[in-house]
């Protein structure tokens, strides 16, 4: 049973993207195993949409532990790997799986995105958006997703590195993210700024 209320609290609102993430997490927990206390399970997400919050909350795969990896491909595709035996599954949202023609929702969505919605229109949009999310929770899994086993490249476990002080801004930076320029250790933003001045 998915913790819908807890996931919604964690994310901040109910929406179709969050519902997709809940359904993805449900499959991952069934196919790969229980909530990840440490790095036993790795999630590789190819989007930064709302559903990633559901994946973090429900599977225990998080950026902070290093077992949630974001590949910025803009795809609603999610791979879960169990380190103990290398079992992995890829879950991809099917094309148009959640598209339901709704002229009112579409018109309100455009107004909300354009910053033109009145408070009443915004409230109506939220209500319709929430209804769409609950429909996603009720759709058959096969309608929503293509789920298949994959042969993964198992990522290394998260490593801890020392921090070094940037010679330009003075901020502490993970050693692996620093650059050396003219004998000075620089964080990436300061290094890039210095390069532009060269």
């Amino acid at each position: 049973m998915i913790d819908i209320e807890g996931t919604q609290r964690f994310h901040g609102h109910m929406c179709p993207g969050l519902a997709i993430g809940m359904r993805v997490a449900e499959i991952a927990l069934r196919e790969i195993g229980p909530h990840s206390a440490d790095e036993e399970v790795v999630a590789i997400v190819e989007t930064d949409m709302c559903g990633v919050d559901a994946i973090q909350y429900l599977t225990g795969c998080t950026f902070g532990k290093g077992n949630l990896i974001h590949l910025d491909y803009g795809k609603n595709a999610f791979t879960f790997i169990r380190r103990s035996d290398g079992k992995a599954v890829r879950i991809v949202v099917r094309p148009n799986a959640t598209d339901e023609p709704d002229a009112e929702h579409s018109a309100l969505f455009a107004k909300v995105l354009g910053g033109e919605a009145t408070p009443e229109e915004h409230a109506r949009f939220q209500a319709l958006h929430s209804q769409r999310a609950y429909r996603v929770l009720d759709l058959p899994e096969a309608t929503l997703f293509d789920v298949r086993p994959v042969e993964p490249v198992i990522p290394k476990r998260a490593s801890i590195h020392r921090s070094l002080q940037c010679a330009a801004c003075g901020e502490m930076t993970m050693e692996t993210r620093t650059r050396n320029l003219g004998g000075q250790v620089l964080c990436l933003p300061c290094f890039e700024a210095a390069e532009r001045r060269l």
Side-chain angles (χ1 to χ4, degrees):
M1 184 68 176
I2 300 172
D3 180 2
I4 295 170
E5 288 183 9
T7 306
Q8 183 177 338
R9 269 193 312 275
F10 179 77
H11 180 62
H13 63 264
M14 180 56 107
C15 63
L18 188 67
I20 287 170
M22 287 188 232
R23 297 295 302 277
V24 166
E26 183 178 44
I27 296 166
L29 292 168
R30 181 187 74 221
E31 296 293 326
I32 300 299
H35 189 282
S36 185
D38 195 21
E39 294 182 52
E40 307 87 3
V41 176
V42 177
I44 301 170
V45 300
E46 298 178 28
T47 180
D48 60 359
M49 57 88 99
C50 298
V52 177
D53 279 354
I55 290 166
Q56 288 187 95
Y57 181 78
L58 295 168
T59 69
C61 296
T62 67
F63 285 115
K65 285 193 305 218
N67 64 334
L68 178 64
I69 298 167
H70 175 233
L71 303 177
D72 195 11
Y73 297 160
K75 294 182 177 186
N76 282 330
F78 313 87
T79 302
F80 294 86
I81 304 164
R82 185 170 58 212
R83 286 187 184 279
S84 62
D85 61 3
K87 180 179 180 181
V89 63
R90 181 174 169 82
I91 304 163
V92 180
V93 178
R94 291 184 182 278
N96 308 314
T98 61
D99 292 347
E100 290 183 34
D102 183 336
E104 182 185 13
H105 181 268
S106 296
L108 289 171
F109 196 28
K111 282 188 166 188
V112 168
L113 286 178
E116 301 163 358
T118 66
E120 295 78 19
E121 289 171 328
H122 200 278
R124 177 66 179 150
F125 169 75
Q126 286 299 100
L128 291 173
H129 216 47
S130 184
Q131 287 173 12
R132 289 172 77 90
Y134 282 99
R135 280 197 296 272
V136 168
L137 292 176
D138 290 335
L139 285 171
E141 184 178 299
T143 300
L144 279 174
F145 303 112
D146 174 34
V147 180
R148 66 182 190 281
V150 291
E151 289 295 324
V153 174
I154 300 175
K156 293 180 184 176
R157 289 188 177 271
S159 54
I160 299 172
H161 300 277
R162 68 185 180 133
S163 292
L164 302 175
Q165 188 173 16
C166 174
C169 69
E171 295 175 0
M172 299 302 288
T173 306
M174 184 188 304
E175 181 179 24
T176 58
R177 301 297 191 270
T178 62
R179 299 293 181 265
N180 191 305
L181 184 66
Q184 290 189 315
V185 173
L186 300 174
C187 67
L188 289 175
C190 291
F191 176 79
E192 289 168 2
E195 273 192 316
R196 285 192 296 272
R197 290 191 299 267
L198 293 178

